[in-house]
Amino acid sequence: MSEAVAMRAEVDFLLPGKWWHIALSGPEETAREVRRMTRSVVGRHDDRAQLRHDIQLSVEKAAAAAAAANGSDFYFAVEIVPGVPIPASLAVCWPEVPAGLSLALSARAGAEALAANLDSIGGDAEIDVLEREGLGVVRSVKVVRGPISTATGVEGAGEVVASYWLVRQISPFPLLLTFSSALVSMNAEMVPLFDAIVSTVEWGEPEAS
């Protein structure tokens, strides 16, 4: 267990609609919960076997990536708007601070230092520092293009990824909330939704290691 995960705080936030929570407590437990979620969300009918398989693989891959990034929790959107399926997920992670970067400043200054570090890495992400009292928030938004088929030359489905680094002056470790959605065409609508969720974050006392 990393020091960041060992010293993580209790965090609460509000998710609109219905989301399935998967605690990243270990590979076997996570895989079992993903299978349970897939059967519940998609159903057990034979004609949906391929859909079940595809969703299970996709969620397992995303949850494994979150766990590898010091993730503690993963959420899959079952229904955000009543009657309208909106594919989205959320990974809750407690990453190590990048080498050479200190967050032992004010929350705003720490967020600006982190934003400059992320910007220096390059890439196509749009990086902004958001205003929130007592908390520094760095938002990174990028569109990940899907793979191009070697057989047809057609680009596969991509996704929009919005990552939020939340920095507090009293903690040397940031909280990272990463949202993903396949609705690339609705990027302008999805990011404000993710912003609204992040605005509800409330902090508790650090967990005992």
Side-chain angles (χ1 to χ4, degrees):
M1 177 182 292
S2 72
E3 188 179 4
V5 172
M7 295 184 64
R8 69 191 182 206
E10 290 283 0
V11 174
D12 290 320
F13 45 83
L14 299 177
L15 293 172
K18 300 177 182 178
W19 296 63
W20 195 287
H21 173 233
I22 299 173
L24 302 178
S25 52
E28 293 183 0
E29 294 84 353
T30 298
R32 185 164 51 248
E33 187 63 19
V34 170
R35 289 193 297 270
R36 192 165 76 91
M37 180 211 73
T38 305
R39 288 193 296 267
S40 176
V41 173
V42 180
R44 298 172 179 265
H45 297 292
D46 291 342
D47 60 349
R48 295 190 173 186
Q50 187 60 51
L51 178 59
R52 266 196 315 274
H53 176 73
D54 292 345
I55 292 178
Q56 181 174 322
L57 286 182
S58 176
V59 175
E60 284 181 346
K61 181 179 178 180
N70 286 341
S72 59
D73 301 272
F74 186 84
Y75 296 84
F76 180 82
V78 177
E79 184 182 73
I80 298 178
V81 178
V84 181
I86 296 179
S89 65
L90 164 62
V92 180
C93 302
W94 303 86
E96 303 284 357
V97 175
L101 180 66
S102 173
L103 301 184
L105 307 165
S106 68
R108 174 74 187 195
E112 291 177 344
L114 180 56
N117 180 273
L118 295 175
D119 191 50
S120 69
I121 297 174
D124 299 326
E126 296 182 7
I127 299 174
D128 298 286
V129 178
L130 308 182
E131 294 287 347
R132 187 175 175 192
E133 184 178 356
L135 187 67
V137 181
V138 180
R139 182 184 66 197
S140 170
V141 179
K142 64 180 178 180
V143 174
V144 180
R145 299 298 179 186
I148 297 178
S149 171
T150 56
T152 64
V154 177
E155 183 177 292
E159 62 179 356
V160 55
V161 179
S163 299
Y164 297 79
W165 299 71
L166 282 67
V167 179
R168 296 190 302 163
Q169 186 176 6
I170 65 173
S171 173
F173 301 108
L175 165 65
L176 175 60
L177 301 178
T178 298
F179 297 87
S180 299
S181 174
L183 295 179
V184 176
S185 62
M186 293 183 61
N187 187 7
E189 290 76 24
M190 297 305 292
V191 173
L193 170 63
F194 300 150
D195 285 353
I197 294 173
V198 172
S199 72
T200 69
V201 169
E202 294 186 354
W203 302 81
E205 295 299 321
E207 294 181 352
S209 60

